[in-house]
Amino acid sequence: NVGRFVIDAYQKSQIGHLAMNLLEEEPLIIARLKAQIADTKIGSAASIVGTLDITAQCPAVFLQPGESEVVSVSQDGIAQMEERTWLAVLVVKNIPDPANLAATYQAAGDLLGKVVQALAGWQPSPLFRAMRYAGREQPDVQPGHVEFPIRFTVRRVFTGTG
């Protein structure tokens, strides 16, 4: 039993409401972050590929798609629920602190909280379930900046034509 969500989505698909863009929520998530977080560059991770000096764009949050997993399938195989992972990567300048990285980490902490508050429990559209905060990955300290990846998951139903 895949639940009422799959059945509703399947019925909507029969009248042409479901798109098959597997990354369709990216612009919706970016718009949400832009609306909720001021004084921070927000965009797709694809927009910074090949950028030599990321520190000029700090502070910033770049959205990157992660892995996905099919978590439920209807008996006939037509309706399938996919859980997708999105990484919101916060990038901040590395504040010189010879004793430890506390100054950099504390500066990032407020922005990390704003990202979580903006996305956890928010629903990109009626075709998605609400996003869930799924934890943080280890910070990546680079010369001049530090990257803080935050994971979120969201579920969406797709249907085949059968």
Side-chain angles (χ1 to χ4, degrees):
N1 181 357
V2 290
R4 186 78 201 145
F5 185 76
V6 171
I7 294 167
D8 289 347
Y10 176 75
Q11 289 170 343
K12 288 178 185 176
S13 74
Q14 299 307 300
I15 53 175
H17 290 287
L18 293 179
M20 282 303 295
N21 178 346
L22 295 178
L23 300 174
E24 69 187 296
E25 66 273 29
E26 180 188 39
L28 303 173
I29 297 169
I30 290 171
R32 171 70 175 185
L33 289 170
K34 285 181 176 180
Q36 298 292 311
I37 302 172
D39 303 320
T40 301
K41 178 178 176 59
I42 310 280
S44 172
S47 69
I48 60 167
V49 172
T51 301
L52 297 178
D53 184 15
I54 195 74
T55 59
Q57 299 187 46
C58 293
V61 176
F62 296 107
L63 192 65
Q64 177 177 324
E67 58 187 37
S68 69
E69 176 183 359
V70 174
V71 294
S72 188
V73 179
S74 64
Q75 277 190 319
D76 61 9
I78 292 176
Q80 301 171 34
M81 182 180 293
E82 178 183 52
E83 182 173 85
R84 304 172 186 175
T85 300
W86 285 93
L87 293 173
V89 183
L90 171 65
V91 184
V92 296
K93 288 183 180 177
N94 193 346
I95 301 167
D97 184 351
N100 57 36
L101 290 170
T104 298
Y105 288 173
Q106 292 308 305
D110 182 51
L111 283 172
L112 289 167
K114 288 178 181 180
V115 172
V116 171
Q117 286 180 323
L119 297 181
W122 173 73
Q123 191 175 358
S125 83
L127 297 175
F128 289 90
R129 288 196 174 172
M131 295 191 78
R132 290 192 269 178
Y133 170 64
R136 292 176 284 127
E137 296 185 15
Q138 181 174 334
D140 184 14
V141 181
Q142 297 290 322
H145 72 276
V146 181
E147 300 173 10
F148 296 87
I150 311 168
R151 284 187 321 275
F152 292 89
T153 60
V154 65
R155 290 183 175 193
R156 166 78 154 89
V157 173
F158 287 96
T159 58
T161 57

